[in-house]
Amino acid sequence: ASNALKNSSCVRSLFAKNSTSFDTSRTSSIRATRRELDATQSMLGPDDVRRETWPSLFSLGTSTITASPGTYITSLRTTMRATRDAITVTTPKSVTLSSRTGAIRIQVRNDSDQDLTVRVRLTRPKLTLTEPTRTVVLTKGGTTELNVSATTRASGEIPISIWVSTPEGNQSVVDPITISANVNAIAGYGQLISVSRLLVLFAWWWSNRRSARRERLNATTV
């Protein structure tokens, strides 16, 4: 009988005393966590164990019979935030395009111990980009490079915004950043002009050299 009483008291300690009521003040937090869970879960691989553990934590956090359910919600949101924080953009703040058509290299690093999938989106005012939005699998503990073809008719410094989000739900993974693309749209023409000037200079030198030689020959003859 004493053992039964002990077991009964242990079971009661796991659940809230008022198991029939629901704290309506937590409704907005639970809804936000549900959206965050669906979005962050889309980053995980199909065999990732977190696809099972995260929904379990969410269920405990929304149950009306769990003691301190808010603790589970807080723990789940902290874990998901840490997963997203493992992603960083390591692209230099400035890139150079030496012609009207080139490639912009975007480097995204995954410091976690599991492969993660993200969506990378580039926006630009003066560049025409090939596939500016891409869903990419980032290798664990490594840096993944994306080559985005770019075409422009203008030269100068062009800002490019980079946004990394979850594949589903558009949950921000990396705060939007802006890099500068330094474009020299007439670089090819500049090289052609330089070569042309060298040819003109050589022709002028050669003409002067031949004229000077003829004058020396004429002077010797006289």
Side-chain angles (χ1 to χ4, degrees):
S2 61
N3 291 334
L5 289 174
K6 290 181 180 179
N7 292 335
S8 177
S9 61
C10 290
V11 170
R12 284 198 302 271
S13 65
L14 294 175
F15 300 99
K17 294 180 180 180
N18 187 5
S19 59
T20 59
S21 63
F22 182 77
D23 186 0
T24 57
S25 64
R26 298 177 54 241
T27 302
S28 60
S29 175
I30 289 174
R31 287 177 179 173
T33 305
R34 175 78 264 181
R35 291 192 297 268
E36 186 178 350
L37 173 60
D38 292 340
T40 309
Q41 196 170 233
S42 68
M43 298 174 63
L44 308 179
D47 299 326
D48 197 310
V49 68
R50 288 171 292 185
R51 286 189 173 273
E52 297 181 3
T53 58
W54 286 358
S56 297
L57 284 174
F58 182 76
S59 297
L60 289 171
T62 57
S63 174
T64 58
I65 61 174
T66 303
S68 303
T71 303
Y72 294 97
I73 293 295
T74 300
S75 175
L76 174 59
R77 300 192 77 170
T78 300
T79 301
M80 292 189 296
R81 176 76 263 180
T83 299
R84 297 193 300 271
D85 285 345
I87 307 301
T88 54
V89 176
T90 58
T91 303
K93 293 296 182 181
S94 179
V95 296
T96 300
L97 293 178
S98 59
S99 63
R100 291 182 177 181
T101 302
I104 299 175
R105 294 177 175 82
I106 306 299
Q107 292 90 28
V108 185
R109 181 165 181 79
N110 174 17
D111 286 320
S112 72
D113 57 358
Q114 295 291 333
D115 292 351
L116 296 174
T117 303
V118 296
R119 177 176 294 171
V120 181
R121 182 184 307 168
L122 278 69
T123 58
R124 73 292 170 209
K126 298 180 180 179
L127 287 176
T128 301
L129 302 176
T130 302
E131 295 184 64
T133 301
R134 303 184 184 186
T135 299
V136 185
V137 178
L138 305 177
T139 305
K140 61 181 180 181
T143 299
T144 301
E145 183 173 276
L146 286 72
N147 291 324
V148 182
S149 298
T151 304
T152 182
R153 294 182 179 179
S155 60
E157 187 174 296
I158 299 177
I160 301 175
S161 297
I162 303 174
W163 184 38
V164 181
S165 65
T166 57
E168 299 177 9
N170 286 330
Q171 176 76 40
S172 179
V173 175
V174 178
D175 292 335
I177 64 173
T178 300
I179 65 173
S180 296
N182 297 315
V183 182
N184 185 2
I186 60 173
Y189 295 103
Q191 294 175 1
L192 180 61
I193 291 173
S194 297
V195 172
S196 300
R197 287 178 176 176
L198 287 175
L199 291 175
V200 170
L201 181 61
F202 177 77
W204 174 82
W205 173 82
W206 181 255
S207 177
N208 286 346
R209 185 171 180 272
R210 293 185 64 183
S211 297
R213 184 180 180 184
R214 283 197 298 269
E215 290 178 359
R216 288 197 302 270
L217 289 175
N218 291 336
T220 301
T221 303
V222 172

